[in-house]
Amino acid sequence: MKLKERIIMAALGFSVALVLISVVEVANLQRLPIDPQVTKPSQIHGVIKTSSQNDAKDAPFQQRNLQKTSMQSGDASVANDDKSSPTGSLSRLKPGPSSVVPSTKPNPYADDGFSDIFEALSKVITAQAPWKNILNNFKRDQHKKPTSIADMSFSQLLPNSTLWEQFQLGITNKYVYPEDGAVVNKLLSTMNTLKVISLEQKEGGTQFKLILDFEDGGQALFKPMRFPRGQETLPNHFYFTDFERHNAEIAAFHLDRLLGFRRAVPVVGRRFNITSEIYELAEQDLLKTFFISPAGNVCFHGKCSYYCDTSHAICGNPDMLEASLAAFLPPKAIAPRKTWRHPWRRSYHKRRKANWETDDEYCDIVREVKPYDKGRRLLDLMDMSVFDFLMGNMDRHHYETIKLFGNRTYPLHLDHGRGFGKANHDETSILAPLYQCCMIRSSTLSSLYRFHSGSVPLSKLMEEALDQDPLKPILLKPHLLALDRRVGMILQVVRSCLEGAEKISDVIFSHDDLYSSGNEGIEDKMWS
Ligand SMILES: Nc1ncnc2c1ncn2[C@@H]1O[C@H](COP(=O)(O)OP(=O)(O)OP(=O)(O)O)[C@@H](O)[C@H]1O
Ligand SMILES: [Mn+2]
């Protein structure tokens, strides 16, 4: 080939290559998410940039696109994108273009009436009623009026007792607060409005928390907002590295109440002025961590073992910050607590699995150990598994009980900051206690059946309950709808248990004392 021809061929080849590159670029551009609902902003503090879970392979293209949005302008707080608006902190919570909660997964059990569950429930309740009466008479002491902390300690409830004393001394061996809710409702509004007079960072734990002292002597556990509501758990984050969400703490309290458990402490949302309500009261260690971000927002990071540094700061808008406030349990001097290792604890290691994940017969081991051998505790763990599955909480490593009430009392439902992280993912392994033991209280099953087949679905009941919170909306629609879908999934698990069981009464218990493994349980130091 002559030199001239060679040059022409080379030029032609180069043009073809150019055309090909352009075609690929255009194709890639078309793959960019145009639906704002599936567009994911970068990780809140810019450490890890993520794409929508479904579009992981498109990550570099999405990032390039997202870098041009206002969310990427170097703000320390992604949430502070509408400072000019007087309702900024509210409007930024609405699902907008920055929302990362994608469209909702359909409910596969929407048309299933679960009439078999209804029949099984009716049979059990009818058949077990006489037993229930006999047991009640036999164990009269246990079934009389619940025993409260006031009954057990030397602290008396008086007509002039404060609201906090009424709440704390009114905690019983059956529930944290009574059904009528008068004290709890007052407590919620008090925590939202009372002046905070001092604060300190809570020692221990992985993430930043404050203990607040109110002017009336009450105390609350403060967890700050870290995300806008639409921000989901990062796909590459484990349950143990996930940030905590203040709205999950609020939502969990209401969910526990709607399930009829009343084992969670009252939690309410509140908007704080960081400058006048936190900075002004901060002691030296905390004070040192305050700064103004490049966007002009007031930030701080405190000290803790995860995410307490400048790049993971908690920032205001410009100094307004949302937080969840949990009413304090009685001081340990009055009501010491016992910490239990959860038998279905996860491994908290990125490669290791827990025993229950590889052993389908794991429940048999648990049943041999006190206090899971008989009575309420194993049934309580079934309730907890239902509760955690509904909100997607995988972070149940330990639980606590109030020592005054002995070992045959309920586990407190504490620490739900890692719930409500993924609206369209149902983490069925959270139901392992339920599908491995195949037992559930009739009262819990009745609630679930009512949520599914009654006139008002759980999503609606939750929405109404959460509308009472000053930081509403607490949960976005996909998280509410996920509750209905998950209720159906739990009912399906119970159905499978019933199909595999000899007797309905091996699965559904109308009375805690009807459960006994048949063995005298052994003490196991590992689990207590
Ligand atoms: N309402 C409360 N009143 C008193 N103490 C509480 C309350 N809620 C939680 N605590 C105590 O504070 C500890 C830490 O709280 P929590 O578990 O919510 O925070 P955390 O940062 O998630 O901790 P961890 O990382 O250890 O799980 C709990 O183990 C509990 O003993
Ligand atoms: Mn925790």
Side-chain angles (χ1 to χ4, degrees):
M1 209 186 290
K2 287 180 188 159
L3 179 66
K4 193 176 159 194
E5 281 168 358
R6 262 195 234 155
I7 291 170
I8 291 170
M9 287 303 283
L12 260 176
F14 184 62
S15 317
V16 170
L18 265 184
V19 170
L20 274 175
I21 289 167
S22 315
V23 168
V24 170
E25 277 289 36
V26 168
N28 281 334
L29 272 176
Q30 283 166 349
R31 282 156 68 202
L32 281 173
I34 43 169
D35 177 357
Q37 291 297 310
V38 295
T39 307
K40 194 166 208 160
S42 80
Q43 196 264 358
I44 195 161
H45 301 288
V47 174
I48 305 167
K49 296 198 172 77
T50 60
S51 61
S52 150
Q53 259 171 300
N54 304 331
D55 297 324
K57 61 184 186 304
D58 296 338
F61 306 104
Q62 285 191 14
Q63 274 176 25
R64 210 179 322 147
N65 186 35
L66 288 165
Q67 275 159 2
K68 291 176 194 153
T69 69
S70 60
M71 307 295 259
Q72 295 296 301
S73 61
D75 259 3
S77 166
V78 169
N80 302 342
D81 52 342
D82 55 356
K83 270 199 295 194
S84 53
S85 148
T87 55
S89 51
L90 261 187
S91 57
R92 72 187 145 110
L93 304 179
K94 295 200 181 116
S98 65
S99 171
V100 287
V101 180
S103 60
T104 305
K105 235 168 104 171
N107 180 352
Y109 300 104
D111 299 324
D112 191 330
F114 284 104
S115 55
D116 48 340
I117 296 275
F118 179 76
E119 270 172 42
L121 257 171
S122 313
K123 278 189 193 157
V124 153
I125 291 169
T126 316
Q128 293 183 358
W131 281 107
K132 192 169 172 172
N133 291 336
I134 293 167
L135 282 162
N136 277 355
N137 288 335
F138 179 63
K139 294 193 162 188
R140 200 169 292 140
D141 274 1
Q142 233 188 346
H143 295 278
K144 64 177 188 199
K145 203 171 137 271
T147 310
S148 68
I149 291 184
D151 298 331
M152 300 292 294
S153 61
F154 296 106
S155 327
Q156 290 303 306
L157 257 179
L158 303 165
N160 63 348
S161 294
T162 67
L163 186 61
W164 296 92
E165 285 164 343
Q166 288 179 52
F167 163 65
Q168 294 183 342
L169 299 176
I171 295 173
T172 76
N173 59 340
K174 307 265 179 201
Y175 45 74
V176 174
Y177 52 92
E179 199 167 3
D180 81 23
V183 170
V184 166
N185 293 339
K186 241 189 259 170
L187 204 60
L188 295 178
S189 62
T190 298
M191 287 196 288
N192 181 259
T193 46
L194 263 196
K195 187 175 158 66
V196 178
I197 55 162
S198 64
L199 50 83
E200 63 171 316
Q201 228 198 289
K202 180 150 181 21
E203 299 282 315
T206 51
Q207 301 195 24
F208 180 85
K209 295 174 287 300
L210 288 173
I211 300 173
L212 306 187
D213 294 298
F214 295 109
E215 55 184 340
D216 70 347
Q219 285 188 310
L221 191 68
F222 165 112
K223 292 194 180 182
M225 166 167 165
R226 311 209 65 142
F227 301 118
R229 302 287 191 276
Q231 177 86 34
E232 298 248 300
T233 296
L234 295 169
N236 292 326
H237 267 204
F238 287 95
Y239 44 90
F240 51 86
T241 50
D242 192 17
F243 281 98
E244 303 211 333
R245 283 166 289 276
H246 72 312
N247 61 321
E249 291 282 1
I250 301 166
F253 158 66
H254 289 276
L255 179 61
D256 167 271
R257 193 181 194 179
L258 284 170
L259 283 161
F261 299 152
R262 287 178 278 121
R263 296 172 206 150
V265 294
V267 184
V268 72
R270 176 163 170 174
R271 201 168 278 116
F272 285 88
N273 181 315
I274 302 184
T275 312
S276 62
E277 294 179 287
I278 302 175
Y279 180 79
E280 284 290 319
L281 301 173
E283 300 279 347
Q284 201 51 33
D285 267 5
L286 178 59
L287 202 60
K288 281 193 295 206
T289 74
F290 279 78
F291 63 95
I292 307 281
S293 76
N297 297 313
V298 183
C299 306
F300 60 97
H301 57 70
K303 268 176 122 177
C304 62
S305 45
Y306 272 106
Y307 308 128
C308 281
D309 55 46
T310 314
S311 61
H312 299 96
I314 298 152
C315 293
N317 177 27
D319 54 6
M320 294 309 285
L321 171 72
E322 290 188 6
S324 67
L325 298 184
F328 240 60
L329 288 162
K332 294 200 173 162
I334 294 181
R337 302 196 292 274
K338 176 167 173 160
T339 302
W340 306 73
R341 202 184 153 99
H342 196 301
W344 278 269
R345 180 184 197 268
R346 287 173 195 275
S347 77
Y348 288 79
H349 185 283
K350 57 183 173 290
R351 285 183 298 271
R352 229 172 274 145
K353 275 190 184 245
N355 289 348
W356 60 266
E357 291 179 271
T358 50
D359 180 3
D360 288 341
E361 309 298 315
Y362 184 76
C363 187
D364 292 343
I365 301 171
V366 180
R367 287 177 198 271
E368 284 179 11
V369 180
K370 274 181 178 167
Y372 310 109
D373 55 335
K374 57 174 184 268
R376 70 170 299 158
R377 190 66 65 80
L378 194 53
L379 287 160
D380 284 329
L381 291 195
M382 301 303 128
D383 284 351
M384 214 186 224
S385 140
V386 163
F387 177 49
D388 285 336
F389 175 68
L390 287 173
M391 66 173 137
N393 177 29
M394 299 170 79
D395 189 30
R396 193 67 81 177
H397 41 97
H398 289 85
Y399 65 84
E400 295 177 47
T401 56
I402 293 172
K403 272 191 183 160
L404 289 173
F405 302 140
N407 285 345
R408 304 277 172 197
T409 184
Y410 59 91
L412 290 162
H413 290 174
L414 293 175
D415 190 11
H416 307 117
R418 286 178 174 139
F420 298 102
K422 292 182 180 178
N424 292 298
H425 170 74
D426 305 314
E427 184 54 52
T428 48
S429 67
I430 303 172
L431 285 179
L434 184 64
Y435 59 70
Q436 291 186 342
C437 298
C438 270
M439 58 194 276
I440 189 166
R441 284 197 173 103
S442 59
S443 52
T444 305
L445 190 57
S446 299
S447 301
L448 294 168
Y449 176 77
R450 180 167 42 85
F451 295 147
H452 183 81
S453 299
S455 54
V456 193
L458 180 56
S459 56
K460 184 85 185 127
L461 292 167
M462 270 292 272
E463 192 171 28
E464 284 168 8
L466 295 177
D467 260 0
Q468 306 301 309
D469 193 275
L471 299 184
K472 70 178 180 179
I474 299 298
L475 290 181
L476 299 183
K477 206 80 187 170
H479 285 285
L480 289 168
L481 294 176
L483 291 170
D484 297 336
R485 188 177 69 236
R486 292 170 191 160
V487 165
M489 293 176 73
I490 303 168
L491 291 173
Q492 178 60 33
V493 168
V494 177
R495 171 184 278 161
S496 308
C497 286
L498 286 167
E499 283 166 1
E502 267 176 42
K503 297 191 296 261
I504 300 173
S505 58
D506 289 342
V507 178
I508 307 174
F509 292 81
S510 72
H511 194 279
D512 294 351
D513 289 315
L514 290 170
Y515 161 66
S516 171
S517 64
N519 308 314
E520 193 50 45
I522 52 168
E523 299 276 358
D524 191 327
K525 286 270 176 294
M526 269 277 288
W527 289 359
S528 52

